[in-house]
Amino acid sequence: MALAGRRPRWEDLGRDLLVSIFEKIEMEDLIAGVSFTCTAWRDAAGDPLCWRELDFRRWELISRRLRFRRALSVDFRDLLRFSIARAGGAVDSVFFPDFADEIDLLFVAERCPRLRYFHFGNDEEPTDQFLQAIDKLRHLQGMAVNEAVICEEVLEILTRCRATFTELEVFAERVSENMAAAICDALPNLRKLRLRDCKMSQPVLLLFLDELKDLESLDISGYSAPRITRQVLEKASRLKEFLWESELDLGDLYRCSGSCGDIFFQGSRD
């Protein structure tokens, strides 16, 4: 509370407001910035609510800002342990750096069993540790993973939380009909699906649109397919969001993209 006759200062902001602000800043700023500003800011930055979402994807910037000098895995695991402790284990989502492995995911799953979402770009085949981690996350609502993870063993485990699992992103070079069918069968309640920069056929695209009845958002921007047809656009019209970029089989226009029902033309066939 600002004193009478004195202009209010940043440190005079209430703790709840500070926490609300600090929840939205980057991790490196939370650790190496606001914590050294004043006592009130340091106290607010230590609130578990500020550590519910852990985003390590900008690892190079994080490590430089925090002056890390050891091996990547060593520094990352120390920071991961520190961050989870700050959150009191109540972490909602984790975005792993590219070099993280299934041991890191299992570490999080054992300490944050109520984790709702994780982003894990490792392209290795799922190991026993990965399966153990998924099995522990009974409250999982979404994930972003490499195509190697979309296999029978993983999908079978995810069926246990299929009622609440609503968001999936797959990093893939190509989405086959078999993969699409497996996703639709195991996770029929998906509301948000991202399959960017990959190859897929029109039957695959139509399969998602036909089978995922609750789907609200489909992002296939940058995907490789012969064309976006009228049939696809008509089926996708029920979605709240449809992001795509490909040829449009509606006339002479060569390339276009769409978002939320609008079509944006980018060039002509000549």
Side-chain angles (χ1 to χ4, degrees):
M1 181 71 67
L3 297 176
R6 178 169 67 79
R7 295 180 63 184
R9 299 182 299 181
W10 283 103
E11 58 264 37
D12 295 325
L13 291 174
R15 189 178 189 278
D16 290 345
L17 181 56
L18 287 173
V19 170
S20 179
I21 294 172
F22 295 162
E23 282 184 276
K24 300 174 176 61
I25 68 174
E26 302 293 346
M27 177 179 294
E28 62 272 17
D29 294 321
L30 193 62
I31 297 174
V34 299
S35 293
F36 293 94
T37 302
C38 64
T39 301
W41 284 31
R42 181 170 60 252
D43 178 61
D47 192 289
L49 291 177
C50 296
W51 300 86
R52 290 184 301 181
E53 180 177 303
L54 306 179
D55 191 345
F56 301 99
R57 288 175 295 182
R58 308 186 326 150
W59 182 255
E60 184 176 348
L61 178 59
I62 292 172
S63 62
R64 185 168 63 248
R65 183 78 182 277
L66 300 183
R67 299 181 181 180
F68 288 153
R69 295 289 185 272
R70 298 174 298 173
L72 290 177
S73 60
V74 175
D75 281 331
F76 169 62
R77 286 169 184 168
D78 278 353
L79 182 57
L80 182 61
R81 184 179 296 106
F82 169 83
S83 301
I84 291 174
R86 278 294 180 96
V91 176
D92 286 339
S93 57
V94 178
F95 297 79
F96 290 91
D98 290 340
F99 59 82
D101 60 25
E102 65 281 352
I103 297 175
D104 299 316
L105 180 60
L106 181 58
F107 180 86
V108 171
E110 290 175 338
R111 291 157 180 80
C112 309
R114 300 189 71 84
L115 189 75
R116 296 178 182 178
Y117 183 89
F118 69 85
H119 183 288
F120 187 76
N122 191 302
D123 60 1
E124 300 292 332
E125 296 287 336
T127 62
D128 288 342
Q129 288 96 333
F130 187 92
L131 297 176
Q132 290 172 31
I134 296 295
D135 191 42
K136 291 179 182 296
L137 298 175
R138 301 300 178 92
H139 301 276
L140 197 63
Q141 296 178 7
M143 66 181 187
V145 294
N146 189 272
E147 61 184 310
V149 170
I150 306 300
C151 62
E152 182 179 352
E153 294 86 351
V154 172
L155 292 176
E156 183 179 353
I157 294 174
L158 289 177
T159 57
R160 301 174 186 174
C161 54
R162 64 194 298 171
T164 56
F165 194 99
T166 58
E167 182 173 351
L168 177 66
E169 179 173 3
V170 181
F171 314 123
E173 292 185 4
R174 177 177 178 273
V175 177
S176 67
E177 289 191 53
N178 286 339
M179 181 190 296
I183 291 173
C184 292
D185 183 57
L187 304 170
N189 298 315
L190 283 180
R191 295 182 181 274
K192 190 170 187 178
L193 179 62
R194 290 189 294 270
L195 302 164
R196 295 177 286 197
D197 300 313
C198 66
K199 299 178 181 178
M200 71 180 77
S201 66
Q202 289 291 312
V204 166
L205 187 50
L206 291 172
L207 181 63
F208 285 129
L209 292 171
D210 286 336
E211 297 300 322
L212 298 177
K213 307 298 184 183
D214 295 330
L215 194 64
E216 297 177 351
S217 174
L218 177 60
D219 183 354
I220 55 171
S221 52
Y223 90 116
S224 298
R227 280 177 173 81
I228 288 290
T229 64
R230 285 186 185 277
Q231 183 183 19
V232 170
L233 290 178
E234 288 172 359
K235 289 180 178 291
S237 64
R238 66 177 175 85
L239 305 179
K240 293 181 179 178
E241 180 180 57
F242 180 40
L243 302 176
W244 53 275
E245 180 180 340
S246 185
E247 294 184 29
L248 185 68
D249 191 17
L250 295 177
D252 295 332
L253 290 163
Y254 172 65
R255 192 165 183 77
C256 57
S257 62
S259 173
C260 299
D262 296 322
I263 299 173
F264 305 97
F265 300 108
Q266 299 177 330
S268 62
R269 209 172 271 281
D270 48 67

